[in-house]
Amino acid sequence: MAGAAVTPDQERSVEYHRPSTTETSVGRASVIAGLALLLMTPLAVFANFVVLDGLVTPGDTTGTATAILGSEGTFRLGIASLFAVAVLDLIVAWALYTAFKPVHAGIALLSGWLRAVFAGIFVVAISQLMSVPQILGVTGTGFTTEQQSTQALLSIEAFYNIWDGALILVGLHLVLVGYLLYKSAAVQSYPSGYVPKVLGLLLALAGIGYVVDSFGRVLFAGYTFELAVFTFGGELLLILWLLVYGRRISSAEDGVDEESAPVMT
């Protein structure tokens, strides 16, 4: 009958199905991490493939200097995009730690610190690029144009060297997150949901790709093979999983869904 009082057992059923604070925080952190990673992608693509690859010619000091001076505004915008990526890396580090803390707090904390430290080193690398327009634009320093162009290209190479070394930390971070994702399906304290274990394996494989490439550049002169080009798919799937999974958890914050709510007659 409509309007009938809810029994104590029904009240307890509603309370039982109400999302916990852990579920809520995990859901919000998942969405934040997914959005940060999603926003990071076009910024990184623009800075690396449009600006740097488009303006910098390895070994060609004159050509690189001419291209940068002719598109200085674009070059500076690329630097700003990289700084934005570093900030987003910090957000991702915090959000993924929060999202996977219920699985294993220690490993989640370590993975977060690895990404946070990478963000700090990445800022140091980007600072090498900041000096490039100044080096090329300054006159009356006593250096020839060729010397200035050479110094500018050396600064760009320093950026790549520091970045390549720091990517080892990103690789280890992804390996740990992949492990947490793999284990989360079996942890009862973690909010339940469909967690494909293969995603954890693919993410760990993406991390291994970064580590192998970074060590390859250190150990072998002229290392050009890019394993990460073939293993980065796990990162893209992670973004999709975080957004879909996080949105599903967040939607429960409005209350009990229709299936779990008691039927009143």
Side-chain angles (χ1 to χ4, degrees), residues 37 41 44-45 49 115 167 170-171 174 198-211 213 225-240:
L37 288 168
T41 302
V45 169
F49 299 106
R115 187 142 199 159
L167 283 176
V170 174
L174 292 177
V198 67
L199 178 55
L201 296 176
L202 290 175
L203 195 62
L205 185 62
I208 293 173
Y210 283 118
V211 173
D213 286 341
F225 181 73
E226 293 285 346
L227 181 60
V229 172
F230 302 96
T231 61
F232 76 97
E235 294 181 84
L236 298 179
L237 292 175
L238 174 65
I239 297 174
L240 180 62

Side-chain angles (χ1 to χ4, degrees), residues 86 90 113-128 158-159 161-169:
L90 290 175
W113 271 113
L114 285 172
R115 187 142 199 159
V117 172
F118 161 78
I121 298 176
F122 191 40
V123 169
V124 174
I126 300 169
S127 66
Q128 303 296 314
F159 159 76
N161 290 334
I162 297 172
W163 185 24
D164 286 341
L167 283 176
I168 294 176
L169 301 178

Side-chain angles (χ1 to χ4, degrees), residues 68-83:
I68 292 176
L69 289 175
S71 302
E72 184 175 340
T74 302
F75 188 80
R76 290 183 180 276
L77 186 59
I79 295 175
S81 298
L82 291 175
F83 275 123

